[in-house]
Structures are given as structure tokens and as C-alpha cells.
Amino acid sequence: IRSPMALASCMVRLMKSRTSGSANRRSAVAPVSALTGFTLMLPQSLNHTSRWICGDTVTGHTHMGRLLDLISARFIQLLEAIMVLMMLGMLILVGLNVFLRIGANSGIDFAEEIPRFMFIWLTFCGAVVAMKQNTHINVSMFVHMVSRPVQKLFYGITQALVLVCGVYITYGTAMLHDIIYQNASPVLQISTLWVYGVTYVAGPALTLIALANLVRLALGRVTDQELAEKHEDDPEELAARELEKVGRELAAAEEALRGKSGAKAGEKQ
């Protein structure tokens, strides 16, 4: 550098070269940084989606599972409300018909037909609710004697049989749909589809419940209480409670006798 002007021009060229280089580097780094940010966000979004579907590894609960549980609970509540209405309808109609026959020597024709239809709805809706709540009558004497793997086997066989029955009920109703629809009830002359159409509700519901139980069994989420449900008290527990009750009664009787003997001794003194 031979003069101040040459030095100034050299510094200007150097600054321009640095500015253009940094701009080129920023333009080259921008796509890379965007791709890096997308790559970092992608596992987080996939993790959130997998947790929504498959559940959290810590808690074991899923958003989808909670949604299905909510829908199932609302459906069971609806069936329970239908059962209550059927019971009230049967009680009112049968009671009214009996009162009219005894008091007025007359009756209502449809009061004999509708309670029968209500009883059919009550039976199938009750079967679905009992299946969901695992409150059907069962014989668990032999189940309590075997090991847990054998209990799982029995539970799987039971749910598979219910699954087959639910599919068969749904398929049979669909096959007989036209015949059921064309037939009319004797008194009200309504389509019997309003009566036997309850199998369109009970059949798929039983199928889905049994299928869900089989999936839960495969995932190991079936509890010991479900495998060997006890709807009645154990005879040994009943005997122990009776012995405890008798012991309390004997102790109370002895205490009363001691009190009476002490009172008599005080009177003599």
C-alpha cells in the first residue's frame, strides 16, 4: 500500500467482499436451518400423535381410549334409561289393565301387547348392560381353582363365544329384515321391526364389547377380578361372619348375666 487513497480503496473492497460473503452464507444457511427446524419438529409431532393413539408409556392412557370410554359410558346410560322407561311402561300398563278388569270388568287391548314388546327391549338392553359391566350370572367355582393363565384361556373362550353370538344375531336379523318389516302386530298393526329391531342394537353392541375384551386380554389389561368375577359371597367368608356374629351375641349375653348377678349381689348386701 503506497498511499492513503490506496489504503482506503483496499479497505472498501475488503468490506464489500465480507458483506457479500456473509450474505451468501446466510442464503446458504437459511434452507439448512429451516430443514433442521422441520426435522426437530417432526419427531415431536409424531410423538404427540402416537401418544394420542397409542397412549402415554407412563400412564398407559390414550386420548382415543378416553374418547371411546366416554362414548361407551353415554351409550350404556342411554340403554339404562330405555330399561327404566320399559319397566315403568310395563308397570303402568299391566297395573291399569288389572285394575280395569277387576273394577270395571273391561280392559285395554294394547295393554297386553305393548308390555310384551317392552319386555323384549328390556331383555336385550339388559344383556348389553350386563355384558359391559361384567355382571352376568356365572359359575366361578372351578375358575378360582386354576392358575391365572388358565383363567385367561377361559376368559378368551367366553368372549369369543359371545363375539360369535353377537355376529350371528346381527347377521340373522339382517337376513330376516324384510320378513320382520312386513309382518304386523296383532293388535296395534305396527311393523314387528319396532319390536325385534332391538337386535340391531344388541347384536353389534355385544360384538364390540366382546371384541374390546379380547383386545384388552391380548394387551394384558384384564384384571384379576374380571378373570374370576365373584357375584356371591364365599361360603368360608359367610361362615366366618356368622361365627363372629354368634361370638358377639354370646359375649353380650354373658355381659348381661354378669350385670344381673352383680345387681343381685348388691341387693343382698
Side-chain angles (χ1 to χ4, degrees):
I1 301 173
R2 297 180 180 180
S3 65
M5 294 296 295
L7 178 60
S9 62
C10 181
M11 292 182 66
V12 169
R13 288 196 299 270
L14 181 60
M15 291 177 64
K16 288 183 179 180
S17 64
R18 287 183 178 180
T19 304
S20 61
S22 62
N24 293 332
R25 284 196 298 271
R26 284 197 299 268
S27 62
V29 169
V32 176
S33 62
L35 181 60
T36 305
F38 176 75
T39 307
L40 293 175
M41 291 174 60
L42 182 60
Q44 296 178 359
S45 61
L46 291 177
N47 188 22
H48 180 72
T49 304
S50 64
R51 286 188 177 185
W52 197 89
I53 297 175
C54 301
D56 195 350
T57 56
V58 177
T59 61
H61 299 292
T62 64
H63 296 283
M64 184 179 293
R66 287 194 290 268
L67 179 61
L68 293 177
D69 290 340
L70 179 61
I71 295 174
S72 175
R74 294 292 182 267
F75 179 69
I76 295 300
Q77 290 177 358
L78 176 61
L79 293 182
E80 290 176 346
I82 293 174
M83 293 169 61
V84 171
L85 292 177
M86 296 298 108
M87 288 289 293
L88 289 176
M90 292 170 59
L91 178 63
I92 293 172
L93 291 175
V94 173
L96 180 61
N97 204 25
V98 171
F99 176 77
L100 290 176
R101 287 185 181 276
I102 296 175
N105 197 19
S106 63
I108 305 174
D109 295 335
F110 65 85
E112 296 182 1
E113 186 175 68
I114 291 182
R116 291 199 297 268
F117 297 163
M118 289 181 173
F119 185 74
I120 294 174
W121 274 81
L122 179 65
T123 302
F124 280 94
C125 292
V128 175
V129 173
M131 179 67 185
K132 176 61 178 177
Q133 299 177 352
N134 196 22
T135 54
H136 276 291
I137 298 175
N138 56 16
V139 180
S140 57
M141 179 180 63
F142 179 72
V143 178
H144 290 289
M145 299 180 182
V146 297
S147 59
R148 181 177 172 81
V150 181
Q151 290 179 355
K152 287 184 177 181
L153 177 62
F154 289 161
Y155 184 84
I157 293 174
T158 303
Q159 299 301 321
L161 291 176
V162 175
L163 177 65
V164 172
C165 291
V167 172
Y168 184 75
I169 289 172
T170 307
Y171 176 75
T173 306
M175 291 293 293
L176 298 175
H177 176 84
D178 294 335
I179 298 175
I180 296 173
Y181 177 75
Q182 293 173 3
N183 287 338
S185 62
V187 178
L188 295 177
Q189 292 297 309
I190 62 174
S191 175
T192 54
L193 185 62
W194 290 100
V195 183
Y196 306 112
V198 66
T199 52
Y200 278 127
V201 178
L206 292 173
T207 302
L208 291 176
I209 293 173
L211 182 61
N213 289 336
L214 289 174
V215 173
R216 291 173 55 246
L217 179 64
L219 295 177
R221 296 182 180 179
V222 178
T223 62
D224 294 336
Q225 186 178 4
E226 292 178 289
L227 292 176
E229 186 72 21
K230 292 173 64 177
H231 301 298
E232 70 280 348
D233 292 326
D234 191 1
E236 295 182 358
E237 295 179 359
L238 285 174
R241 285 200 294 268
E242 289 295 329
L243 289 175
E244 184 178 358
K245 181 179 178 181
V246 172
R248 289 196 300 267
E249 292 177 354
L250 291 175
E254 290 179 0
E255 188 68 24
L257 290 174
R258 289 177 183 174
K260 290 180 180 180
S261 62
K264 290 180 179 180
E267 291 177 358
K268 290 181 179 179
Q269 291 178 356

